[in-house]
Amino acid sequence: MAQILVVDDEPGLRSFLAEVLTGDGHQVTSAKDGLEAAQLVDKKQFALVVSDLKMPGLDGMGLLRKLKAEQPEVEVVLLTAHGDIGTAVEAMRLGAFDFLQKPLADPDQLSLLCARALERRGLKTAVRAVKQTSLLALSYGDPAMDRVVHALQKVAPTLASVLILGESGVGKEVAARELHRLSDRAKGPFVAVNCAAISEQLLESELFGHEKGAFTGATERHQGRLELADGGTFFLDEVGELKQALQAKLLRVLQERRLERVGGTRSIELDVRFVAATNRDLADMVRQGTFREDLYHRLAVFPIAIPPLRERPGDLVPIAQTLLASIARELGRPGLSLDAAALLTIKARSWPGNVRELRNALERAAILSDGAVLDAEHLAPVGSTHGGTQGSASQQGHGSLADLERQAIVAALAAEGGNRRKVAERLGIAERTLYD
């Protein structure tokens, strides 16, 4: 059973359509023209809209454009007279599922076409659900990440260049890979280059490739990473580290969608979606003259900022548990878990190195642990577990559970600047419990 909207300015035909589809077990709402239909779709969700093409006021094409702009998952079937076949074909290019020619002599034809349209909508919904679920790799539902997940879902189907901003270790490459996987280019290559990890001398050849004999040691032709990303997504990590000469060359590629290999003269067409990331303030670098303003605007068509882990307390424990499961598989020790004190420690610490620091701490804890359960002592900072450093962290794991709770609260108060409401949220307890 589906919610279907029938739109036609002819009362007799409108009644006939509603009767057929109601007989098929669907819930049918009727509208006498496109304007009334537009008001209805703003108030109610429909799986399918069956609409006449020619109507006074807002016609079927206008209604189709509204639906595809605001509710692209809704399937649309149009009814058309014989002389309007060309318009109906154009409507399919705009996203209509199909069209039926009037007069409708066979009710079964309507039933079958609507059933096929609803089947396609069901498949699209299922695919979208799978894609949304996979975003758990990036976040487990902390409100601070809602806008990030929403932004990724909105921009993924487009060709807009995306600039991902955030501190080291927050998951910028994870976000870039999710963006690629959610896009229409998911079957194409995802090619990544870290500008900070390759020397300036090698980076140009790595990005653009080179011809044989282009420089000493170039004994054969080499395809660059940009060329290898053709048809897919190119991820430029730590783009703020690019020197001015390479910034100019990259800008030309973004503008012309073409490149030339080092030492080459042939222009190579490029079909690439650009995603860049940085932990630096590119806008400030533009003001200082160290980053080209025109390149910045080309890369930052759609900026997305990922908040640090300390601002995502709701993500801390589930991300830690997922990371630990991965570490356990790598070490061949399935079943590793965190005890209550370890979870408190994870919630309390500010994790300046973000997800990368958390993973390192868990891997170190797993190696230190002889059993299947990791405790707070295993998670103590390097040098603090075995009589090394001063401060409360050095005592973790050596006192009672009450001592560990106190240390976790003190650490959380420091991380949240004394804000008790935020401390309670970080630790997953009520404010009253925190006072007690």
Side-chain angles (χ1 to χ4, degrees):
M1 181 182 71
Q3 294 283 348
I4 299 178
L5 175 62
V6 168
V7 191
D8 201 294
D9 58 333
E10 297 179 31
L13 182 56
R14 188 167 68 241
S15 177
F16 169 75
L17 295 170
E19 184 179 343
V20 172
L21 294 173
T22 302
D24 291 337
H26 303 298
Q27 290 190 354
V28 179
T29 303
S30 297
K32 66 179 182 298
D33 55 36
L35 290 174
E36 185 180 6
Q39 293 172 352
L40 286 168
V41 298
D42 285 339
K43 299 174 184 176
K44 187 175 179 180
Q45 292 287 325
F46 294 97
L48 172 65
V49 174
V50 180
S51 174
D52 193 10
L53 188 59
K54 284 195 171 181
M55 295 179 291
L58 184 68
D59 63 8
M61 289 291 280
L63 181 60
L64 172 65
R65 288 191 180 94
K66 174 182 171 61
L67 286 166
K68 290 305 169 184
E70 299 174 7
Q71 300 181 37
E73 71 280 2
V74 177
E75 295 294 350
V76 180
V77 171
L78 291 173
L79 307 175
T80 180
H82 178 72
D84 296 323
I85 298 298
T87 306
V89 172
E90 176 62 23
M92 291 180 67
R93 291 197 188 99
L94 293 175
F97 177 76
D98 209 336
F99 64 92
L100 280 171
Q101 240 181 290
K102 296 192 293 186
L104 299 181
D106 185 0
D108 291 340
Q109 188 181 10
L110 172 66
S111 296
L112 180 61
L113 189 59
C114 290
R116 285 174 46 221
L118 290 168
E119 182 181 16
R120 186 172 81 162
R121 184 182 186 277
L123 289 172
K124 289 196 297 187
T125 300
V127 169
R128 187 171 64 254
V130 170
K131 288 180 176 180
Q132 288 174 341
T133 300
S134 75
L135 286 165
L136 292 177
L138 187 65
S139 172
Y140 287 77
D142 189 278
M145 285 295 290
D146 285 349
R147 59 179 178 78
V148 175
V149 173
H150 179 69
L152 287 170
Q153 291 169 339
K154 292 292 285 184
V155 76
T158 75
L159 291 177
S161 297
V162 176
L163 179 63
I164 302 175
L165 306 165
E167 296 177 3
S168 292
V170 293
K172 295 189 290 293
E173 183 167 348
V174 174
R177 289 184 180 277
E178 285 300 312
L179 186 65
H180 172 70
R181 202 191 56 76
L182 289 167
S183 75
D184 296 336
R185 295 171 171 258
K187 292 183 179 179
F190 176 91
V191 178
V193 170
N194 188 324
C195 299
I198 304 173
S199 69
E200 183 183 355
Q201 292 75 20
L202 294 177
L203 187 55
E204 182 177 14
S205 174
E206 196 65 28
L207 288 173
F208 303 99
H210 63 253
E211 296 290 348
K212 181 178 179 180
F215 49 82
T216 303
T219 57
E220 58 184 23
R221 173 184 289 174
H222 170 70
Q223 281 187 310
R225 299 284 186 92
L226 278 162
E227 201 174 336
L228 293 173
D230 193 54
T233 301
F234 180 69
F235 176 53
L236 199 61
D237 200 4
E238 302 301 348
V239 69
E241 305 304 319
L242 273 182
K243 302 302 181 184
Q244 289 276 353
L246 284 182
Q247 289 179 29
K249 197 164 183 178
L250 180 64
L251 174 64
R252 184 177 177 186
V253 173
L254 279 159
Q255 288 173 332
E256 300 178 5
R257 300 289 162 165
R258 291 174 172 272
L259 64 80
E260 290 180 8
R261 299 190 189 110
V262 177
T265 56
R266 185 170 65 91
S267 182
I268 301 167
E269 287 192 18
L270 204 61
D271 174 24
V272 166
R273 199 288 179 67
F274 285 89
V275 181
T278 183
N279 60 6
R280 302 181 67 177
D281 186 343
L282 288 191
D284 187 54
M285 291 178 68
V286 168
R287 288 189 289 272
Q288 294 176 11
T290 56
F291 199 88
R292 293 183 64 113
E293 184 175 9
D294 44 10
L295 177 58
Y296 171 72
H297 290 303
R298 284 279 181 177
L299 291 172
V301 174
F302 196 95
I304 298 176
I306 300 181
L309 202 52
R310 62 183 171 275
E311 295 176 10
R312 299 155 51 189
D315 282 348
L316 269 170
V317 169
I319 285 179
Q321 290 170 332
T322 299
L323 291 172
L324 184 59
S326 173
I327 291 165
R329 287 193 298 271
E330 292 172 7
L331 296 177
R333 293 171 59 191
L336 285 178
S337 63
L338 297 154
D339 71 6
L343 291 174
L344 275 173
T345 298
I346 287 170
K347 289 180 178 180
R349 281 168 58 177
S350 59
W351 303 107
N354 295 294
V355 178
R356 187 176 296 128
E357 181 188 0
L358 176 57
R359 192 188 197 288
N360 290 345
L362 289 167
E363 186 170 5
R364 185 171 62 249
I367 293 169
L368 288 172
S369 169
D370 294 323
V373 180
L374 278 58
D375 61 30
E377 182 177 358
H378 297 128
L379 284 168
V382 175
S384 66
T385 307
H386 299 290
T389 60
Q390 60 182 357
S392 63
S394 66
Q395 303 303 316
Q396 283 187 343
H398 296 288
S400 66
L401 181 58
D403 292 332
L404 291 170
E405 287 176 346
R406 182 182 185 281
Q407 291 159 15
I409 289 169
V410 170
L413 281 165
E416 296 293 353
N419 186 313
R420 285 169 288 193
R421 180 182 59 79
K422 289 185 177 179
V423 168
E425 290 176 357
R426 173 180 284 272
L427 297 176
I429 59 178
E431 279 193 74
R432 179 65 188 176
T433 305
L434 178 63
Y435 280 113
D436 290 343

